[in-house]
């Protein structure tokens, strides 16, 4: 797509502000680093690299916290960029979030690399305070404090988004399209970018607040051990926050599909009753199906576990099916202009949809009791994030900068795309197959019968890392060329 539309007018959606580009550059660099950490762990599990157990769990902690955090940072950049086309957002608040994010990252790096904290990103009580001599209280406090600082930045950003949306639409119900959903569809429903952003700011504001509460209690417990926390309450709060936060990354990043794909097909993708109903239903479901993370906790009330299983079955249907079906109908016989942007966005629809299958299998109580602590679980969430969320962000990056391509550049993009797609699929299948074979997750060492899955995973991980390096490298190269032209 050229820099102008069919009428010759500049496309404002292609003009990214400097802060958005700063978010994407940061995201690209951190994703590559976290992928490298993941590759090291798969090599170690496959017996191809010697890593001490302390180092392995430090890498596991950095990889998990880093990937969750950077997924949120990249996807909120997508949301902020497109939401800003419809409401007046605060640039200062957007920059403040990045500053707080980087400050939190420094604290987390210090806790892990200098303090040896290796309790994983879930910081599950009472693990931070029971290190068995591996790390000290200060290291745990730095890690928990770093997460608090990062969460504070995101909460302020969502509050600013709420301010801007309320200023434009009057109340959140209108921004969610309730007048058109429950009344006559007058064709004036808010754009999907506004509906999705409103849904995300509601669920993530609640999720971050719950997460901040358990983090604050954990901090107090670190220095006042007599301040005890109910472990079951702590686990519910931790997984409610974590479940909502990571799901929100996809709901923010998918705005790129709604906004960019129609520009390639020439077909508008407007809000209608079906789309509005799907996003409103997901608002409730994403906050009520988190008990599928607790199906092995016998102390949980049985009704909560049953509800978690049933709602998990249904939660994939509304917005996922509507979005995937909508994307396919938008593309069908449209004469779409294929390039890396449209290819990555369509790949993301496959990854998001395919990721539902192992997730639903794991959300079944009788299967969860066998599979939950195996490689099956990282298999299903890597499918979501690697083949779903990440291609949405990469497609957004190419949308902003990929308008002027040489023949060699297009050829390199095609190679990178197919390597990423095929190796990404192989990578997640190695996880799932290992889980089906009983390989445990979070183990630094594996038995001989699990090594083939680990080694296959390591090979595919290396290929995915190489393809992502091409995408991010070419994004940075085109950014530099654009700045040179501007000068």
């Amino acid at each position: 797509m050229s820099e102008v539309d069919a009428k010759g007018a500049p496309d404002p959606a292609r003009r990214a502000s400097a802060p958005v580009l700063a978010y994407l550059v940061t995201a690209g660099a951190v994703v590559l680093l976290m992928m490298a950490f993941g590759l090291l762990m798969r090599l170690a599990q496959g017996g191809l690299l010697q890593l001490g157990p302390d180092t392995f769990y430090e890498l596991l902690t950095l990889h998990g916290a880093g990937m969750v955090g950077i997924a949120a940072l990249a996807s909120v950049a997508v949301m902020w960029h497109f939401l800003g086309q419809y409401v007046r957002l605060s640039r200062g608040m957007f920059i403040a979030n990045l500053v707080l994010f980087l400050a939190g990252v420094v604290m987390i790096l210090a806790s892990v690399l200098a303090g040896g904290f290796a309790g994983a990103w879930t910081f599950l009580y009472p693990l931070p305070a029971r290190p068995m001599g591996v790390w000290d209280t200060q290291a745990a406090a730095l890690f928990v404090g770093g997460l608090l600082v990062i969460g504070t930045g995101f909460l302020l950003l969502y509050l600013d988004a709420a301010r801007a949306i309320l200023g434009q639409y009057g109340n959140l119900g209108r921004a969610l399209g309730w007048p058109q959903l429950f009344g006559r569809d007058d064709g004036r429903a808010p754009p999907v970018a506004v509906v999705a952003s409103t849904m995300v700011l509601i669920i993530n504001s609640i999720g971050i607040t719950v997460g901040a509460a358990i983090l604050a209690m954990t901090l107090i417990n670190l220095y006042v051990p007599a301040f005890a926390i109910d472990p079951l309450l702590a686990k519910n709060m931790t997984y409610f926050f974590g479940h909502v936060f990571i799901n929100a990354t996809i709901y923010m990043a998918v705005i790129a599909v709604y906004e960019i794909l129609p520009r390639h097909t020439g077909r508008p993708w407007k809000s209608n009753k079906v789309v509005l109903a799907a996003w409103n239903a997901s608002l409730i479901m994403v906050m009520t199906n988190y008990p599928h993370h607790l199906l092995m906790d016998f102390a949980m009330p049985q009704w909560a576990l049953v509800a978690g299983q049933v709602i998990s079955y249904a939660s994939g249907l509304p917005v996922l099916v509507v979005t995937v079906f909508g994307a396919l109908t938008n593309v069908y016989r449209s004469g779409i202009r294929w390039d890396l942007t449209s290819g990555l966005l369509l790949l993301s629809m496959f990854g998001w949809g395919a990721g539902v299958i192992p997730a639903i299998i794991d959300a079944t109580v009788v299967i969860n009791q066998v599979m939950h602590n195996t490689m099956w679980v990282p298999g299903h969430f890597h499918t979501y994030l690697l083949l779903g969320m990440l291609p949405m962000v990469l497609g957004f990056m190419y949308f902003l900068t990929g308008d002027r391509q040489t023949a060699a550049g297009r050829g390199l993009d095609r190679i990178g795309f197919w390597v990423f797609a095929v190796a990404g699929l192989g990578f997640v299948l190695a996880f799932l197959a290992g889980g089906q074979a009983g390989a445990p997750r979070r183990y630094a060492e594996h038995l001989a019968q699990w090594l083939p899955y680990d080694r296959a995973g390591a090979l595919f991980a290396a290929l995915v890392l190489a393809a992502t390096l091409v995408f991010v490298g070419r994004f940075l190269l085109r950014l530099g060329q654009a700045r040179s032209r501007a000068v």
Side-chain angles (χ1 to χ4, degrees), residues 382-393:
H382 276 87
T383 309
Y384 275 135
L385 296 177
L386 180 64
L387 295 178
M389 192 283 298
L390 183 57
M392 294 174 190
V393 174

Side-chain angles (χ1 to χ4, degrees), residues 42 379 383 387 422-435 453 457 460:
R42 293 301 273 155
T383 309
L387 295 178
V422 174
L425 185 60
F427 177 71
V428 298
L429 287 176
F431 268 132
L432 294 171
Y453 305 106
F460 289 125

Side-chain angles (χ1 to χ4, degrees), residues 387-441:
L387 295 178
M389 192 283 298
L390 183 57
M392 294 174 190
V393 174
L394 292 171
F396 175 59
M397 293 164 74
Y398 264 72
F399 168 71
L400 295 178
T401 60
D403 54 297
R404 296 182 180 182
Q405 298 275 20
T406 63
R410 286 192 293 271
L412 190 58
D413 285 343
R414 279 194 292 271
I415 294 172
F417 174 83
W418 286 110
V419 169
F420 182 88
V422 174
L425 185 60
F427 177 71
V428 298
L429 287 176
F431 268 132
L432 294 171
Q436 190 275 335
R441 60 173 170 151

